Amino acid sequence: MLDTNLKTQLKVYLEKLTKPVELIATLDDGAKSAEIRSLLADIASLSEKVSFREENDRPVRKPSFLITNPGSQSGPRFAGSPMGHEFTSLVLALLQTGGHPSKESQSLLEQVVALDTDLHFETYYSLSCHNCPDVVQALNLMAVLNPRISHTAIDGGMFQNEITERNVMGVPAVFLNGKEFGQGRLSLAEIVGKVDTNAEKRAAEELNKRDAYEVLIVGSGPAGAAAAIYSARKGIRTGLMGERFGGQVLDTVDIENYISVQKTEGAKLAGSLRAHVDDYDVDVIDTQSAIKLIPAAKEGGLHAIETASGAVLKSRSIIIATGARWRNMGVPGEEQYRTKGVTYCPHCDGPLFKGKRTAVIGGGNSGVEAAIDLAGLVEHVTLLEFASEMRADKVLQDKLRSLKNVDVILNAQTTEVKGDGSKVTGLSYIDRNNQTSHEIALSGIFVQIGLLPNTTFLEGAVERNKMGEIIIDAKCETSLKGVFAAGDCTTVPYKQIIIASGEGAKASLSAFDYLIRTQPAE
């Protein structure tokens, strides 16, 4: 099952085990069970601390296997294949079950251990999903730490009947005690925050005790990370708060234009950004979103950021680096059928629509790339573009038009998402050439129409343009003294990772220059 190279690498990792690990498989006579049997046998052969046995009469999914310690019946379970993007999840589950410590904060780990209720999580993933491993790994860790928590990671491609029965149309899809819990990327902190009802209140109380910063960066994507590193290197008190570290980078699959890095993946780059920030004295505040900027009463005073949790953080200077989010179509039915056929990630959710008819909304590079990817998976793709021509690069358009199962409709204004109450069944659009209405029967709609800046919390505080972007000058200064901005949330042209990083560094240098030239208000 494992090639020689993977065996060599895995053997090195398994040397880190400090206590025995037992793999208990529940299999049948099928080909997939044979593959998993071979995989587990390979793993067990690489370490004396790993054993493998079968208990095929267990009342659980087949094929599946539990990762536990001898004498225990708790721990993470994989139902189906843990290959592809999930192979890393398998390796981490082995290491953590075998006593290798997690890199998560000690306070968060203690919070997981202290949870005193029975929590049974199930996560549906696809082997091509780049967002799924973070969720699977977080829930696996919870199952390792707390015997009252169980987690089964389910390969949706192998258990299509469950995908249909539970109407799963986007991954990762998480169920808790049989009910829908969440969809899309979730961090460990976010999951714990949702199940620990007092977590938000405790977090706000703790944050309100923090002393004022010299620079507080709001947003932890590439711009925010760069700003934090440059600020910390100046030796000034630096805070970095954000909803999820990495921002949009986490939703990016392949990155080939970050200079000096020939090719990487979004999740890997986000991890590298976090590791670099952690090398410095930066107060990183995760899973917090800003809802209001409160300007200082006078020049040189303390600006403040109010968070959704109720905390108020103060700082002499602030850098806004909140990035952007996917733009919605804004039509009836879109919100109702979000994750029930309306989706934004062809890489994650494309495999769930195998053999079905789909649509892509948007004719830019991202839309055309999505249609090309989907064409290899689904029965048919219809790309709808509002304008009279597509904006994608010619090489992409040529590739798209060469595909036999793709139709392109120009001058198409999507007007409604149709559904049966539980899932998407089609869409309506108007032909802008003659104002006639049309309907298309389909199962999935992939929205690829650009981004909106995350700046609504700044209403009335700093100047923005009609698109909501923060207006900045060449030094990343906003209309409010002591407040700077960087990255995709600003008017800087060309929304690229490398540009956001450079703008973050520039904003930090500008903030430092402001601090040394401004007398603190008493």
Side-chain angles (χ1 to χ4, degrees):
M1 182 68 182
L2 297 178
D3 60 33
T4 302
N5 184 45
L6 268 180
K7 284 183 179 180
T8 301
Q9 294 181 48
L10 185 55
K11 183 177 178 65
V12 173
Y13 280 119
L14 294 179
E15 290 175 357
K16 299 178 181 181
L17 299 179
T18 60
K19 56 184 180 181
V21 173
E22 186 172 40
L23 306 174
I24 305 175
T26 304
L27 308 173
D28 54 25
D29 296 327
K32 291 296 182 181
S33 285
E35 289 179 10
I36 290 173
R37 182 180 292 111
S38 176
L39 170 66
L40 300 183
D42 281 350
I43 294 172
S45 71
L46 299 175
S47 173
E48 294 181 352
K49 285 189 168 65
V50 180
S51 60
F52 162 50
R53 63 186 175 90
E54 296 183 31
E55 287 188 0
N56 296 328
D57 57 349
R58 285 194 175 200
V60 295
R61 293 175 181 86
K62 293 182 180 181
S64 68
F65 63 94
L66 177 70
I67 303 176
T68 188
N69 305 113
S72 173
Q73 294 295 321
S74 65
R77 176 180 290 275
F78 284 92
S81 172
M83 302 304 288
H85 286 291
E86 292 304 334
F87 187 70
T88 300
S89 302
L90 170 62
V91 175
L92 281 175
L94 288 166
L95 292 177
Q96 291 163 355
T97 302
H100 191 69
S102 166
K103 293 182 179 180
E104 295 284 355
S105 70
Q106 188 60 36
S107 60
L108 184 56
L109 297 177
E110 291 173 355
Q111 194 176 350
V112 173
V113 172
L115 292 172
D116 60 355
T117 186
D118 294 325
L119 304 171
H120 174 54
F121 289 99
E122 298 167 292
T123 303
Y124 291 91
Y125 65 85
S126 69
L127 296 179
S128 61
C129 172
H130 62 282
N131 286 325
C132 295
D134 280 358
V135 179
V136 170
Q137 290 163 23
L139 291 168
N140 280 350
L141 177 59
M142 292 177 69
V144 170
L145 294 172
N146 190 325
R148 297 192 66 174
I149 300 173
S150 66
H151 176 233
T152 302
I154 306 161
D155 179 356
M158 193 175 295
F159 292 88
Q160 283 284 341
N161 59 320
E162 293 188 33
I163 292 290
T164 301
E165 290 170 4
R166 285 184 155 178
N167 202 26
V168 174
M169 305 191 77
V171 290
V174 182
F175 288 75
L176 171 58
N177 297 334
K179 298 181 179 180
E180 292 185 20
F181 176 79
Q183 197 270 335
R185 186 185 292 270
L186 293 167
S187 68
L188 177 62
E190 289 172 314
I191 295 168
V192 174
K194 290 183 71 171
V195 297
D196 186 350
T197 55
N198 293 318
E200 188 172 70
K201 180 180 179 182
R202 291 198 304 270
E205 291 173 350
E206 179 61 31
L207 291 175
N208 283 329
K209 297 176 184 177
R210 305 278 173 99
D211 293 334
Y213 300 97
E214 289 180 279
V215 60
L216 174 62
I217 300 140
V218 184
S220 50
I229 290 169
Y230 266 72
S231 294
R233 286 174 63 86
K234 295 293 186 182
I236 60 179
R237 178 166 163 73
T238 303
L240 174 63
M241 64 164 280
E243 295 183 46
R244 54 176 191 156
F245 205 103
Q248 289 179 62
V249 168
L250 292 169
D251 301 322
T252 305
V253 183
D254 294 328
I255 298 170
E256 299 178 346
N257 56 0
Y258 196 82
I259 308 306
S260 83
V261 180
Q262 290 179 307
K263 184 174 182 179
T264 186
E265 296 178 353
K268 290 182 179 179
L269 180 58
S272 296
L273 290 173
R274 180 59 186 260
H276 200 172
V277 169
D278 287 344
D279 282 341
Y280 293 91
D281 187 13
V282 177
D283 186 9
V284 179
I285 305 165
D286 289 319
T287 67
Q288 292 291 323
S289 59
I291 61 171
K292 188 176 183 180
L293 167 60
I294 306 170
K298 53 185 174 179
E299 187 173 347
L302 296 175
H303 298 292
I305 292 291
E306 183 179 341
T307 73
S309 66
V312 176
L313 298 169
K314 298 180 179 181
S315 181
R316 287 185 60 200
S317 67
I318 288 177
I319 297 174
I320 307 297
T322 45
R325 64 190 183 278
W326 288 113
R327 184 188 299 271
N328 295 324
M329 295 182 290
V331 300
E334 179 179 20
E335 189 63 34
Q336 179 183 355
Y337 293 105
R338 188 185 302 272
T339 76
K340 298 301 180 184
V342 176
T343 183
Y344 302 83
C345 181
H347 302 287
C348 299
D349 300 334
L352 300 178
F353 295 87
K354 185 176 182 180
K356 298 179 180 180
R357 301 182 72 85
T358 63
V360 172
I361 312 299
N365 281 348
S366 61
V368 173
E369 288 172 351
I372 292 170
D373 289 343
L374 288 169
L377 295 169
V378 304
E379 178 187 342
H380 187 271
V381 181
T382 302
L383 184 145
L384 293 92
E385 165 57 42
F386 181 84
S388 59
E389 60 183 24
M390 291 187 287
R391 295 166 286 108
D393 296 341
K394 184 177 183 300
V395 64
L396 291 175
Q397 292 192 43
D398 291 344
K399 172 64 176 177
L400 181 72
R401 294 187 185 281
S402 73
L403 301 173
K404 295 181 179 179
N405 63 335
V406 176
D407 289 330
V408 176
I409 304 177
L410 303 176
N411 287 303
Q413 179 181 350
T414 305
T415 56
E416 185 178 1
V417 174
K418 300 284 190 177
D420 62 5
S422 62
K423 64 182 182 300
V424 166
T425 59
L427 64 77
S428 299
Y429 74 92
I430 291 175
D431 184 334
R432 297 175 60 240
N433 290 310
N434 52 30
Q435 296 302 305
T436 56
S437 297
H438 304 268
E439 290 192 7
I440 303 174
L442 44 76
S443 300
I445 301 171
F446 293 79
V447 184
Q448 302 282 299
I449 55 175
L451 302 167
L452 284 175
N454 296 314
T455 61
T456 53
F457 72 99
L458 298 170
E459 183 70 40
V462 300
E463 291 184 5
R464 299 177 295 157
N465 65 15
K466 63 181 181 181
M467 293 179 288
E469 297 171 329
I470 304 168
I471 298 173
I472 58 172
D473 64 13
K475 293 184 177 181
C476 295
E477 293 179 309
T478 72
S479 59
L480 181 60
K481 287 292 183 182
V483 176
F484 305 83
D488 288 5
C489 63
T490 74
T491 51
V492 67
Y494 313 121
K495 312 305 185 186
Q496 297 290 309
I497 297 171
I498 195 165
I499 292 174
S501 298
E503 290 290 299
K506 188 200 300 183
S508 181
L509 295 173
S510 296
F512 180 72
D513 186 65
Y514 164 82
L515 291 171
I516 62 176
R517 296 175 186 274
T518 305
Q519 187 70 24
E522 296 181 357

